[in-house]
Amino acid sequence: MTPRPSTCRSAEPADDELARGLAAGDEASLAVAYRRWSALVHTLAWRSLGDAGEAEDVTQQVFLGVWRGRHGYRPERGAIGAWIVGIARHRIADALSARTRRADLVASAGTALPLTGPGRDDPEAALDRVLLRTELARLPAPQQRVLRLTFYEDLTQTQIAERTGLPLGTVKSHTRRGLGRLRGRLGEEGRT
């Protein structure tokens, strides 16, 4: 019985040919590299992270890194498979660091902010509160003050003007500018 062409390994290029194809921007070479090493990368990530979903994300990041960094591969430094495993090790370390940062933020949210209400067991909500508090602290003092009075004391803009002695138009301007800055900064966080 003859093997089917799709399972025949001899049709795939050798590592040095594959490296040249990648450097030349050949997407077929990337597909071959993915077929050849994705299972290994996924296994390394899964064993290190203990989460199949994160392992899949890391695997995708690794091969995106292979494609973007293909011009940086130097055959004299080692085999292309070793280079890919090196990229995987860095991505796994990044994922573990990000996990630690998230856990630290959630832990600090639990001690710094009282978790009350229906979302008290939701770590994502706690993380959102920490991020919002951090970004609010970065605003200029007048905008910070107006937004804190608005959201934490539930005051209207007229009430804020009366309490602070600021003209109503100034309160409205601080509110608009402060919310715009928060929206911009928190929008950037969501894209990273």
Side-chain angles (χ1 to χ4, degrees):
M1 182 174 219
T2 358
R4 292 187 302 177
S6 62
T7 60
C8 184
R9 284 274 186 201
S10 63
E12 288 191 354
D15 287 357
D16 58 339
E17 294 174 56
L18 183 63
R20 282 193 298 276
L22 276 171
D26 178 29
E27 291 181 16
S29 294
L30 178 64
V32 171
Y34 185 83
R35 276 194 309 273
R36 197 173 288 177
W37 288 293
S38 64
L40 172 64
V41 168
H42 187 271
T43 300
L44 290 171
W46 183 79
R47 285 183 180 169
S48 298
L49 300 168
D51 182 276
E54 274 187 291
E56 289 174 17
D57 290 345
V58 165
T59 302
Q60 288 179 357
Q61 291 170 13
V62 166
F63 286 94
L64 184 60
V66 166
W67 182 251
R68 288 182 177 161
R70 66 189 183 272
H71 300 295
Y73 169 67
R74 301 287 175 255
E76 62 274 5
R77 292 186 181 168
I80 191 166
W83 179 67
I84 291 172
V85 167
I87 293 171
R89 290 178 57 206
H90 287 284
R91 293 294 188 263
I92 291 167
D94 291 347
L96 288 170
S97 292
R99 180 188 288 174
T100 302
R101 283 191 307 275
R102 283 191 307 267
D104 289 348
L105 279 172
V106 169
S108 73
T111 58
L113 298 171
L115 295 176
T116 58
R120 74 170 189 244
D121 294 329
D122 182 10
E124 292 295 322
L127 182 57
D128 287 345
R129 285 192 296 277
V130 169
L131 291 173
L132 181 59
R133 190 179 75 200
T134 301
E135 291 304 325
L136 188 59
R138 293 174 61 189
L139 293 176
Q143 293 172 12
Q144 234 183 88
R145 184 175 183 203
V146 168
L147 290 178
R148 286 182 190 280
L149 290 171
T150 301
F151 294 112
Y152 295 127
E153 295 190 31
D154 201 25
L155 297 179
T156 65
Q157 290 178 331
T158 304
Q159 292 168 327
I160 293 169
E162 290 170 2
R163 182 181 286 187
T164 62
L166 295 171
L168 181 59
T170 302
V171 170
K172 290 180 178 184
S173 294
H174 286 321
T175 303
R176 186 180 63 252
R177 284 189 204 112
L179 287 174
R181 285 184 179 183
L182 284 177
R183 189 177 303 114
R185 287 182 178 154
L186 293 173
E188 290 170 9
E189 285 290 323
R191 287 191 294 270
T192 59

